[in-house]
Amino acid sequence: MRADALAAFHAAVAAVQPSRLIPAAVAVDGDRVAVRGEVLPEVAGRRVVAALGKAAPTLAEAWLELLPDWADELLVLTPHGVPVSDRVAKIGEVLRGAHPSPDEQGEVSCRRLLELAASLGEKDLLVVLLSGGASALLAAPRPGLTLDDIRATTTALLKAGATIHQLNAVRRQLLAAAGGGLGRAATPAQVATLILSDVLGDLIPDIGSGPTVPSPTTAADALGVLGGLGVVADLPRTVVGVLRSRVEIADDAAWVERSRIHVLANNRTAVEAAANCLAGCGYRTIAHPGDLTGEARDRGALLARFAEAFSSRRPTAFVAGGETTVTVRGSGIGGRNHELALAAALELSGRKQVVILAAGTDGVDGLSDAAGAVVDPSTVARARVAGVDLAAALAGNDSGPALAATGDAIRTGPTGTNVCDLALVLAAD
């Protein structure tokens, strides 16, 4: 069952690889290029491709494979340590930044991206290949703020267990390229954005903080998020001051009308691929894309109790997708998937065969070096042999080292894609 769970996870990751998605969505007919049936504007000027986020290198590689001579310029902005192919490195300008907390290099990289966008004219076209993780890379602050302000705000929100929607409602008001900032900078050029969605429901303003679409929320909304999470006192005064003094100005309809959005794949794509893999292995499958939300440890315990209570004549697989949150109480190393898996392991009694996998499709979970973990009723016993107190590890948010010690960690390295997380529950009587 552990092997089946891992096979299903790898099938899900394979289904959302840009090398599959770009050829499936983009059609080339001579000089005409269409995305999902909509023809890209045929311009007389420059054609610039900007790939952003954790999947930026693989999106760029897939674009070059299909259209090797199409772009006049290629810019790739991706986190430190994410591999870049030789072809992308040779042809494109590769920029780096930190994730999840932004750094100085990310700020410089973002300003270079905005500079490139601002150089475009009405006869030019900007194609943005956008993936999750871009928000932290778009690190250039708006006027009146510093990178330290952005970092302090990001840290406070993450520690408070902010959802992606809450996090981006704030970041859209603080970052120069977010909330349509990149799209505005590119005016009057045409803009087409192809998205690998890491946000449930494909809420476009929340994917990479919406660099090419207007923000649906305001500075007042951002203050409401900060107040609701109780973190206002933890923020630099400049952040609160800028938000309180912000005067909302309606977006120019002209640049919005010149921007087109296309979603290539999302969490549902990965969930369905995992479910199909498990069905092929003989499991009765139940798929719930987008339902995996809430506090990670609570969801892990709930999934374990669900698995042990479930009864079926056939082995059953429950496949959920989404993104949980972690309220940080300790100083350990881990991530939401490790924490979910560890909480689940503590609930498994061993009365029936159960395997629970929780992992990020990007191959990175929080500050750990693993994608997540796969646990079963023997995890607790293996922890005792290894001298690991799993309950203490959970209390201290130290799930990463604990599950590495039990041999349950899933290490893939960066996968080249990012469509949120998967949780697989396999059970047999």
Side-chain angles (χ1 to χ4, degrees), residues 352-413:
K352 64 189 305 182
Q353 299 179 65
V354 175
V355 167
I356 297 179
L357 179 151
T361 54
D362 61 355
V364 180
D365 187 34
L367 298 177
S368 74
D369 62 352
V374 54
V375 299
D376 59 42
S378 70
T379 295
V380 173
R382 282 184 277 113
R384 291 196 193 100
V385 171
V388 175
D389 185 336
L390 292 184
L394 183 62
N397 300 116
D398 203 26
S399 53
L403 291 174
T406 62
D408 291 325
I410 302 170
R411 288 188 173 87
T412 62

Side-chain angles (χ1 to χ4, degrees), residues 117-134:
S119 73
L120 300 176
E122 62 181 350
K123 295 182 179 180
D124 300 328
L125 169 64
L126 173 64
V127 173
V128 179
L129 307 177
L130 182 64
S131 59

Side-chain angles (χ1 to χ4, degrees), residues 46-284:
R46 295 152 65 199
R47 296 186 293 202
V48 176
V49 175
L52 315 175
K54 294 179 180 179
T58 49
L59 284 165
E61 175 66 28
W63 185 272
L64 291 175
E65 181 68 25
L66 185 65
L67 294 155
D69 302 315
W70 185 87
D72 297 302
E73 297 171 66
L74 170 65
L75 181 148
V76 176
L77 175 52
T78 198
H80 301 299
V82 174
V84 176
S85 72
D86 290 342
R87 174 162 55 176
V88 170
K90 180 179 180 180
I91 295 174
E93 179 181 0
V94 179
L95 305 176
R96 299 284 185 173
H99 183 280
S101 183
D103 66 358
E104 290 82 359
Q105 191 170 344
E107 180 179 3
V108 172
S109 297
C110 180
R111 295 202 186 282
R112 168 61 187 135
L113 170 66
L114 290 170
E115 177 187 31
L116 176 61
S119 73
L120 300 176
E122 62 181 350
K123 295 182 179 180
D124 300 328
L125 169 64
L126 173 64
V127 173
V128 179
L129 307 177
L130 182 64
S131 59
S135 294
L137 301 171
L138 301 177
R142 287 194 179 189
L145 298 169
T146 67
L147 179 62
D148 285 340
D149 293 332
I150 303 301
R151 279 196 288 229
T153 304
T154 302
T155 299
L157 288 166
L158 291 173
K159 284 187 175 180
T163 67
I164 190 65
H165 311 297
Q166 293 171 321
L167 192 60
N168 286 335
V170 176
R171 289 196 287 206
R172 284 194 297 270
Q173 302 302 317
L174 305 181
L175 299 174
L182 179 60
R184 292 186 202 94
T187 304
Q190 300 278 351
V191 179
T193 308
L194 282 62
I195 298 175
L196 186 56
S197 174
D198 71 329
V199 172
L200 304 183
D202 299 337
L203 301 175
I204 306 302
D206 280 335
I207 303 170
S209 294
T212 58
V213 293
S215 175
T217 56
T218 65
D221 294 321
L223 286 168
V225 168
L226 297 170
L229 292 171
V231 299
V232 173
D234 300 326
L235 303 181
R237 292 181 179 178
T238 49
V239 172
V240 178
V242 164
L243 290 174
R244 286 176 175 166
S245 62
R246 176 71 48 79
V247 176
E248 303 296 339
I249 301 175
D251 268 302
D252 182 356
W255 81 262
V256 177
E257 291 171 358
R258 295 168 75 88
S259 180
R260 297 290 181 269
I261 304 294
H262 306 276
V263 176
L264 300 174
N266 52 25
N267 185 252
R268 177 180 291 276
T269 312
V271 167
E272 290 177 349
N276 289 337
C277 176
L278 290 166
C281 294
Y283 290 84
R284 173 177 176 250

